[in-house]
Amino acid sequence: MKVCEIFKSIEGEGLRTGLAAVFVRLHGCNLRCSYCDSMYAVEGSDYTQMNVGEILAAVGSHRLKSGVDCVTLTGGEPLIHEGIEDLLTKFSEDGFKVNVETNGTVPCKWRLPGLFYTMDWKCKSSGMSSKMKLQNMQTLCNGDVLKFVVGSTEDLQEAESVVAQLSESPKHQPSSMPHIFISPVYGTIPNEQIVEWMLNSKTMTQNNARFQVQLHKIVWDPDRRGV
């Protein structure tokens, strides 16, 4: 498995914002988003080949040193890697609490103790909206996250439409909807515009959508790696 980096930091967004976690960033992705901030994990040769046991040992060493049992599996796109089911199973068996950050192109097939998904819907400004499928979002459960990164008014309208369609599907009644998060493409659309839109959107307020910023880009330099 191609591993770009393994490091300890805080969760910058989502359900565990601010909590310590060990990040495992895998190399390789099936999308090319316009605003990607980790292209070093998408293209090139900046990675190390590691097997499941080596990854578990590296993550386990952080737990031994500091007691951190939260893991965030990210990329790139982690769910396209051969051996990912085995890695997720081992994490679960070892008692880790795993957040899988995925780009929306792969359905959430594995349901294991301690595991949840944070799935993106790539809006138009990403250049990848045509790759999105609502049926993949429908594999999310009420403990998962559906995330929209928006950079324009058009993106906001797209996000609202997706949430409306998801909430109207037979599976996703209010009690079974995933957590909805909205965040800006860094340095583009004003935060105030997003928040005011959310407050005026019945669809977003009824589905408990939350605004977020990338906390790690506030704490550290926005371009810094390994945080």
Side-chain angles (χ1 to χ4, degrees), residues 197-216:
W197 162 79
M198 289 175 65
L199 292 173
N200 286 291
S201 168
K202 185 176 180 180
T203 295
M204 304 311 281
T205 53
Q206 283 186 333
N207 287 287
N208 301 310
R210 284 178 267 184
F211 172 74
Q212 67 176 4
V213 293
Q214 292 177 296
L215 186 62
H216 53 289

Side-chain angles (χ1 to χ4, degrees), residues 136-200:
N136 288 344
M137 312 300 129
Q138 291 172 335
T139 65
L140 295 170
C141 297
N142 62 350
D144 299 320
V145 171
L146 175 57
K147 183 181 72 174
F148 299 88
V149 180
V150 296
S152 67
T153 300
E154 194 171 14
D155 285 355
L156 295 175
Q157 294 168 344
E158 184 177 350
E160 186 173 45
S161 174
V162 171
V163 172
Q165 291 178 70
L166 195 62
S167 65
E168 291 166 3
S169 70
K171 177 183 176 182
H172 286 112
Q173 298 306 307
S175 62
S176 59
M177 280 287 286
H179 302 275
I180 309 295
F181 282 86
I182 313 289
S183 58
V185 176
Y186 187 78
T188 58
I189 189 169
N191 295 340
E192 182 180 358
Q193 181 180 346
I194 300 174
V195 173
E196 289 181 350
W197 162 79
M198 289 175 65
L199 292 173
N200 286 291

Side-chain angles (χ1 to χ4, degrees), residues 1 15 36 45 48 57 65 79 98 107 138 157 162 169 192 203:
M1 201 171 292
L15 291 178
C36 180
S45 57
T48 301
K65 291 176 183 177
L79 295 184
V98 183
Q138 291 172 335
Q157 294 168 344
V162 171
S169 70
E192 182 180 358
T203 295

Side-chain angles (χ1 to χ4, degrees), residues 13-42:
E13 51 195 328
L15 291 178
R16 303 194 303 206
T17 298
L19 288 177
V22 178
F23 289 76
V24 178
R25 186 182 300 280
L26 300 182
H27 187 280
C29 189
N30 56 343
L31 296 182
R32 295 295 184 273
C33 298
S34 62
Y35 49 71
C36 180
D37 58 3
S38 54
M39 282 301 294
Y40 59 91
V42 174

Side-chain angles (χ1 to χ4, degrees), residues 11-125:
E11 291 268 19
E13 51 195 328
L15 291 178
R16 303 194 303 206
T17 298
L19 288 177
V22 178
F23 289 76
V24 178
R25 186 182 300 280
L26 300 182
H27 187 280
C29 189
N30 56 343
L31 296 182
R32 295 295 184 273
C33 298
S34 62
Y35 49 71
C36 180
D37 58 3
S38 54
M39 282 301 294
Y40 59 91
V42 174
E43 298 176 339
S45 57
D46 187 4
Y47 60 83
T48 301
Q49 286 282 358
M50 300 177 71
N51 60 38
V52 169
E54 290 169 333
I55 296 171
L56 286 168
V59 173
S61 68
H62 284 287
R63 180 159 67 177
L64 285 173
K65 291 176 183 177
S66 57
V68 177
D69 63 358
C70 291
V71 175
T72 295
L73 191 61
T74 187
E77 170 48 51
L79 295 184
I80 63 173
H81 287 265
E82 184 178 350
I84 194 66
E85 182 178 8
D86 187 28
L87 180 61
L88 293 176
T89 300
K90 295 296 186 184
F91 275 142
S92 178
E93 289 175 350
D94 285 355
F96 288 104
K97 302 168 186 175
V98 183
N99 173 19
V100 180
E101 295 187 337
T102 180
N103 64 19
T105 62
V106 183
C108 302
K109 297 185 292 184
W110 300 289
R111 290 292 167 185
L112 299 163
L115 171 68
F116 73 95
Y117 294 91
T118 297
M119 180 179 282
D120 281 0
W121 177 280
K122 303 295 185 181
C123 294
K124 187 173 182 179
S125 66

